């Protein structure tokens, strides 16, 4: 019921949380102001369609954007939270957030057990540490016993709460730069996430939070700036000079992390605006800097972060792949959560076999499912090398009948029962993403004057590789044609690297040293990038 003519009651389900808000603000703003976990990946620009909610009550009339994105769902009680404004009392049903899947373990080398914090604090019977990997999408925290061999006694992960303010780094930088208050909001969001994970870990393990004396953080450069409340705008503007990249320490109390107040929080070093501490930590985790075979280390997400190693000469870069490979900006894209299609196979009979995560009804396609799907469609010649759909007359009927018309473009019916499709526009997004990564790989090896056919090892880190088939990466051309080498998926090496820096003085010294040895290549200054990028746009024949 309305309290007065300017305030209305909005109730969020399934949280059953009611708040009074001024008339005219959007449902997304109302959620953000009240810490309701509602994602706005495009930060309310009305382009991603991921903030959809169901409602009952009084909202502003649907906008053109909503009608275009939601289609007939608009009449059936669905709205975009960033577009719909509260004009009376209203009840909102958030989409049931399914369990969020991320990768919380990875390959880790052996470093001598010698926790750096032990020599800095007075003797104590029990001392613990927490290694944290802050990704743009997820946060992973690992609780480690620093008195008993560095045993990991618990791992917890969650969606990065900053996703409420935008799905990708650039949207968040733009939001943070709008005001000091916004930068603080992003800082509090990530600190809240960290505190929640630590709370979960200590509750499970019965560890006293005041026994946690050291935290190591691996993250991309933007996440590190936001963690300490620094406006990251220099990272998005030429000449892309971060405010800091070197190793830094803070006190836990300064940042609001709820452990021993004088615990040390170590921010691991980054290389540049776009190659962060997560990559350097990943290198330490697999001893990549000591690799003797010509090799490639790549972490694929909204940015493809890539390091090439040729006989100990290291060059690194980051290429803006866009959010497609994380399932965003894709008509039926979604995160790697329950109900997400994560694997696709088209057999010789042309049957499409899909596998999804968990047991929830199928809801969309996550990044790895998308790579698989497009690779299988390229292999089956449903998609031509140019990225266009083949004519249905040229396809076996079982596949041809799945190519449909959808809103003035062609689309492929992936799961007829769930109505999940892949549109021509989606394919374009995949082409842009894969071309950005493949071109960056080419350029790194050109800079090292090395023939990519001679590469012997390819390490793929991060959540993206979780369900991926190596063959799909090559069929898609995400790895450039001709690139040699055996592919190994090494998991969440960022967290493992942070954990090693917690348990070994040597690992911490190595990461600080390795930062100085890598040549950072900024692609926006590479004149050959555009040509390479355009060349990589087609799918391999
Ligand atoms: S469409 Fe609403 S946040 Fe993107």
């Amino acid at each position: 019921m309305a309290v007065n003519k300017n305030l209305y009651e909005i109730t969020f389900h399934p949280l059953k949380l009611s708040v009074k808000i001024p008339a005219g603000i959007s449902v997304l703003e109302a959620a953000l102001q009240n810490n309701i976990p509602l994602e706005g990946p495009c930060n309310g620009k009305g382009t991603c369609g991921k903030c959809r909610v169901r409602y009952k009550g009084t909202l502003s009339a649907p906008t053109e954007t909503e009608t275009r994105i939601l289609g007939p769902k608009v009449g059936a009680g669905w709205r975009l939270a960033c577009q719909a404004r509260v004009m009376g009392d209203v009840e909102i049903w958030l989409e049931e957030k399914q369990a969020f899947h991320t990768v919380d373990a990875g390959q880790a080398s052996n470093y001598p057990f010698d926790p750096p914090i032990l020599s800095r604090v007075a003797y104590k019977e029990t001392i613990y540490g927490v290694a944290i990997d802050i990704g743009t999408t997820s946060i992973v925290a690992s609780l480690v016993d620093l008195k008993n061999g560095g045993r990991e006694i618990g791992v917890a992960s969650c969606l990065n709460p900053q996703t409420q303010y935008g799905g990708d780094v650039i949207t968040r930088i733009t939001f943070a730069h709008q005001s000091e208050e916004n930068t603080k909001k992003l800082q509090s969001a990530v600190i809240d996430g960290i505190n929640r994970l630590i709370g979960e870990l200590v509750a499970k393990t019965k560890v006293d939070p005041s026994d946690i004396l050291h935290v190591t953080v691996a993250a991309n450069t933007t996440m590190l700036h936001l963690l300490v409340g620094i406006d990251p705008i220099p990272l998005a503007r030429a000449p892309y000079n971060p405010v800091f990249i070197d190793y830094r320490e803070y006190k836990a109390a300064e940042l609001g992390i709820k452990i021993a107040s004088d615990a040390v929080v170590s921010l691991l070093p980054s290389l540049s605006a776009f190659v962060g501490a997560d990559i350097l930590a990943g290198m330490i985790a697999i001893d990549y800097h000591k690799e003797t075979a010509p090799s490639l280390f790549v972490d694929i997400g909204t940015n493809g972060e890539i390091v090439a190693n040729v006989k100990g000469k290291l060059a690194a870069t980051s290429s803006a792949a866009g959010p497609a490979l994380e399932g965003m900006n894709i008509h039926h894209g979604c995160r790697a959560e329950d109900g997400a299609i994560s694997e696709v196979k088209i057999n010789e009979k042309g049957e499409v076999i899909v596998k999804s995560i968990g047991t929830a009804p199928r809801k969309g396609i996550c990044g790895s499912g998308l790579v698989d799907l497009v690779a299988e469609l390229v292999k089956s010649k449903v998609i031509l090398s140019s990225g266009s759909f083949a004519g249905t007359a040229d396809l076996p009927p079982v596949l041809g009948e799945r190519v449909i018309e959808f809103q003035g473009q062609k689309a492929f019916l992936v799961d007829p029962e769930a109505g999940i499709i892949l549109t021509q526009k989606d394919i374009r997004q995949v082409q842009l993403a894969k071309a950005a990564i493949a071109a960056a790989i080419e350029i790194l090896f050109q800079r090292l004057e090395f023939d990519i056919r001679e590469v012997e090892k390819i390490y793929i880190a991060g959540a993206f590789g979780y369900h991926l088939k190596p063959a799909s990466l090559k069929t898609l051309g995400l790895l450039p044609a001709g690139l040699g080498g055996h592919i190994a998926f090494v998991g969440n090496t960022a967290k493992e690297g942070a954990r090693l820096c917690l348990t070994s003085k040597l690992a911490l010294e190595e990461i600080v040293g390795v930062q100085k040895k890598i040549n950072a290549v900024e692609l926006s200054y590479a004149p050959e990038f555009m040509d390479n990028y355009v060349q990589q746009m087609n799918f391999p024949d």
Side-chain angles (χ1 to χ4, degrees), residues 28 39-51 69 80-82:
L28 182 64
E39 273 191 70
C42 70
N43 198 20
K45 291 198 194 80
T47 53
C48 70
K50 301 295 175 204
C51 62
I69 292 184
L80 292 181
C82 68

Side-chain angles (χ1 to χ4, degrees), residues 91-114:
E91 289 182 82
I92 299 291
W93 281 264
L94 304 173
E95 277 215 274
E96 200 73 52
K97 272 279 156 231
Q98 308 288 358
F100 176 70
H101 289 250
T102 189
V103 180
D104 55 21
Q107 197 173 305
S109 308
N110 281 327
Y111 274 83
F113 178 67
D114 177 19

